[in-house]
Amino acid sequence: MGDVDRGTALRLLALARELTEPELRKAVDRLPDPVRRLTGYHFGWWDESGARVRANGGKRVRAALALASAQALGARPERAVTVAAAVELVHNFSVVHDDLMDGDATRRGRRTAWTAFGEPLAILGGDALLALAIDVVRPELAGSAGQAIMKELSDALLKLVAGQTADLALEGCSEIGLAECLTMAGDKTASLMAAACALGALSAGADADQVSRMRRLGWHLGLSFQLADDLLGIWGDAQVTGKPVGGDLRRRKKSLPVVAALSSATTAGDQLAEFYHGIGPMPEAEIRQAVSLIEEAGGRRWAEQESIRQRTHAFRELTALSPEPGGARALVALSYLMTHREH
């Protein structure tokens, strides 16, 4: 990715943070303590005691997608601030709960909300973020445009829950197909990115066909992002990602590169399956062997190629929209930044 493109993407993310931060803080400030303190900690605004800090609270990728989608269809990014804040609140609701369900102890280089505040409060905190997302868009809900916004959010939420449910169910399955795993990843991750793009389009006053194309763009981009994320989970650098590398393998979680390797009908894939039939956390020695087997069975290569293929589909949808050049450049730059992530 060139320096110019990276700069465009980083400026978009900075704009997303600048525009949505006041909306997010205003929303969180309505919550009672200690739920307010937990959510502010999760966003990186303060430490566990409530003292102000400047921790990593996430890149605001989904908010940036909403802003750039509106701009690509001829509106100023500011038109999409409300929906951008809403999708960030929904995303962080899912993250707080996902960390708890997966047992992840660290995120963005520090303790996850549930490890810092306990499981019951983390559940309440996630619930509160979802309630705030609906409340944030409440002023936008009058008329047919408002109904479309609410439908977009509710459809994404239902898909997100379906994806998370499938993810939990698939962990206990001995046989998983790639198509099944891609559907799960689409529901769990791509659905909200699809909604972010569609909501940005709705904020720009787009017609039904434009909204549909933006939704498909976000869906393909979300899958590309998830594939890149799964690759980082195996071959990434913990100092860059903020999460322990090998955590998914340690839990014997069947991420997309793993399922591709298990489905490869190769000797390496068969050997990897033996590791995944074990009980309890995978030992460190087996994790190192599993990493080699996934690569040998073609899981890494497939995931890298599929990530590129999904991103290409996203760009085709964008081209078909005949977008405004500035917004299109921002979307393309952000797409590359999301899927060419540092290892």
Side-chain angles (χ1 to χ4, degrees):
M1 183 179 182
D3 290 341
V4 174
D5 290 337
R6 183 176 177 83
T8 299
L10 292 175
R11 285 191 293 275
L12 174 60
L13 289 170
L15 178 65
R17 182 175 291 278
E18 176 188 341
L19 292 179
T20 60
E21 197 83 354
E23 295 294 325
L24 296 174
R25 286 182 178 270
K26 183 169 64 175
V28 169
D29 278 344
R30 296 180 54 201
L31 298 175
D33 276 329
V35 174
R36 174 183 172 275
R37 187 155 40 93
L38 178 147
T39 53
Y41 169 86
H42 173 75
F43 276 118
W45 301 333
W46 43 70
D47 64 17
E48 296 160 43
S49 67
R52 291 183 180 180
V53 295
R54 295 188 64 180
N56 180 4
K59 293 185 175 67
R60 304 290 186 268
V61 165
R62 290 149 192 84
L65 283 173
L67 300 180
S69 295
Q71 185 183 359
L73 293 177
R76 290 184 57 80
E78 289 81 359
R79 286 272 297 276
V81 170
T82 300
V83 295
V87 294
E88 281 298 325
L89 287 163
V90 171
H91 169 60
N92 283 280
F93 135 74
S94 70
V95 169
V96 170
H97 283 184
D98 195 40
D99 283 342
L100 173 54
M101 286 185 283
D102 287 348
D104 287 337
T106 59
R107 177 174 289 274
R108 301 162 187 157
R110 58 182 194 157
R111 293 204 295 167
T112 49
W114 75 271
T115 58
F117 292 86
E119 295 181 17
L121 202 61
I123 293 170
L124 289 172
D127 292 346
L129 289 170
L130 178 56
L132 289 174
I134 304 303
D135 194 61
V136 161
V137 296
R138 186 159 46 89
E140 309 281 328
L141 298 184
S144 59
Q147 292 175 13
I149 288 172
M150 196 65 246
K151 184 177 188 311
E152 202 67 48
L153 272 178
S154 61
D155 285 352
L157 279 165
L158 289 171
K159 283 188 171 65
L160 193 156
V161 170
Q164 185 64 62
T165 302
D167 192 25
L168 291 172
L170 291 175
E171 286 188 27
C173 294
S174 57
E175 299 292 335
I176 302 174
L178 264 179
E180 187 179 11
C181 198
L182 277 168
T183 298
M184 177 274 293
D187 286 344
K188 183 179 175 182
T189 300
S191 60
L192 190 56
M193 292 190 178
C197 293
L199 288 165
L202 285 168
S203 297
D207 62 34
D209 180 65
Q210 291 173 316
V211 172
S212 181
R213 284 194 179 278
M214 272 297 182
R215 187 184 301 113
R216 291 197 296 270
L217 183 156
W219 182 271
H220 289 301
L221 188 55
L223 280 173
S224 182
F225 173 86
Q226 184 59 60
L227 285 152
D229 195 62
D230 284 354
L231 286 163
L232 281 181
I234 299 172
W235 290 279
D237 181 344
Q239 293 185 338
V240 175
T241 64
K243 295 192 292 184
V245 174
D248 285 351
L249 295 176
R250 189 169 292 106
R251 297 196 309 273
R252 305 180 198 272
K253 186 179 179 67
K254 297 181 179 72
S255 64
L256 285 161
V258 170
V259 173
L262 292 172
S263 305
S264 64
T266 61
T267 300
D270 293 341
Q271 291 175 345
L272 180 67
E274 293 178 11
F275 288 162
Y276 268 79
H277 289 151
I279 298 174
M282 188 181 293
E284 291 299 322
E286 286 189 10
I287 290 175
R288 290 192 293 271
Q289 292 179 63
V291 170
S292 297
L293 290 170
I294 295 165
E295 186 151 14
E296 186 180 341
R300 182 175 189 171
R301 182 176 63 255
W302 175 85
E304 289 170 344
Q305 292 174 346
E306 182 64 16
S307 180
I308 293 170
R309 192 178 76 85
Q310 293 290 343
R311 191 178 63 232
T312 300
H313 280 306
F315 290 165
R316 286 174 183 162
E317 296 291 349
L318 181 62
T319 300
L321 284 163
S322 300
E324 184 274 329
R329 280 195 301 272
L331 270 175
V332 170
L334 180 61
S335 300
Y336 275 109
L337 187 68
M338 289 167 58
T339 57
H340 278 80
R341 301 163 71 191
E342 296 180 13
H343 284 54

